[in-house]
Amino acid sequence: MKIQQTHAGEQAQAARALAPLAVDVAVPLAVYYLAHQGFGLDLVASLALSSVVPAVRTVGGAVRNRTVNGLAGLMLAVNAAGIALGFVAGDPRLMIAKDSGISSVIGLSILVSAFGAKPLMSAGLKPFLTRGDAAREAAWDRLRAGSARFCGLERRFSALWGCALLAECAARIVGAYTVPVETMAWLGTVMLVAAIGIGAVVGGGASEPMKEMVDAEARAPQERETAAPAAPAAPAAIAA
């Protein structure tokens, strides 16, 4: 029974940690596909509807906390780019090439954020490495505040993902004008999946050392307590 309660508690902690990621990314995507595929709304209207939550989160964070919600802002920028590209019309090759515009916005935003204070990919990486555990989250925060190596790995993780997505964007544009249209109709999806796979593989070179550092830092307080010598016993009172 105790093991089941512990497991349930860990699942609840992980769910709370991933909640912001779900609100900022999953909800807008769900709204878009429901409006576009489910209710048959056009591209622009569907993207506009899916922008409501990111817009509220972005503005709310800026007003309430004086901070910018990175993921919500990114989704808002992606939707704005999608709406702008929705008015682009032309030959089939141009229509294929314009799809790379979304990837370029995402990739460039992630890459630029790697050189700032809050790399965008950390919003998804932190919940997976800490798993909603309070000790691991505190370890992450301590490392981020005091470890240059940890911060460097954090920036590298976002930079690698940004480069992978930008490379996919460039490859899709080249393919749109050099590969037969019938081939690019399915090859574009393959390129995107390959870019995500490459990002996951090369990103592991940064995330795995980060995980080891979080594990070690989370254990450190317990190990210090265990290693601390016991306080010497008070001397016995001398009988008069």
Side-chain angles (χ1 to χ4, degrees):
M1 179 64 71
K2 186 176 181 180
I3 295 176
Q4 292 178 343
Q5 290 176 345
T6 301
H7 183 62
E10 291 176 350
Q11 289 181 327
Q13 289 176 337
R16 285 194 297 271
L18 292 171
L21 191 64
V23 172
D24 291 333
V25 178
V27 170
L29 289 175
V31 171
Y32 167 77
Y33 283 109
L34 181 63
H36 192 52
Q37 304 291 340
F39 294 98
L41 297 181
D42 61 33
L43 176 66
V44 173
S46 300
L47 286 172
L49 283 175
S50 68
S51 299
V52 173
V53 172
V56 171
R57 296 268 295 172
T58 302
V59 175
V63 172
R64 184 175 60 254
N65 302 323
R66 297 179 182 267
T67 58
V68 177
N69 186 316
L71 280 180
L74 175 60
M75 292 302 297
L76 193 59
V78 167
N79 286 351
I83 291 172
L85 291 172
F87 295 101
V88 175
D91 63 83
R93 292 188 180 278
L94 176 61
M95 300 306 291
I96 292 174
K98 81 170 187 176
D99 291 338
S100 65
I102 303 298
S103 297
S104 66
V105 171
I106 298 174
L108 187 60
S109 297
I110 292 174
L111 182 59
V112 170
S113 75
F115 299 94
K118 294 182 178 180
L120 281 172
M121 291 300 293
S122 296
L125 180 62
K126 181 179 180 180
F128 282 105
L129 294 188
T130 60
R131 299 192 294 273
D133 181 71
R136 295 173 67 82
E137 289 179 353
W140 172 291
D141 294 337
R142 289 195 299 271
L143 288 168
R144 199 170 189 279
S147 173
R149 178 170 180 258
F150 186 84
C151 292
L153 290 168
E154 183 186 17
R155 288 192 294 271
R156 186 190 304 174
F157 184 79
S158 283
L160 289 171
W161 268 97
C163 289
L165 292 176
L166 284 176
E168 182 270 334
C169 169
R172 187 177 297 195
I173 292 176
V174 172
Y177 290 98
T178 59
V179 177
V181 173
E182 295 79 7
T183 303
M184 278 304 299
W186 59 265
L187 186 58
T189 302
V190 174
M191 287 180 175
L192 178 59
V193 173
I196 294 173
I198 292 172
V201 172
V202 298
S207 63
E208 283 302 317
M210 291 175 69
K211 179 179 180 299
E212 294 174 0
M213 294 179 71
V214 169
D215 289 341
E217 182 65 24
R219 292 193 303 266
Q222 297 178 350
E223 293 176 352
R224 283 194 293 266
E225 290 178 1
T226 303
I238 301 176

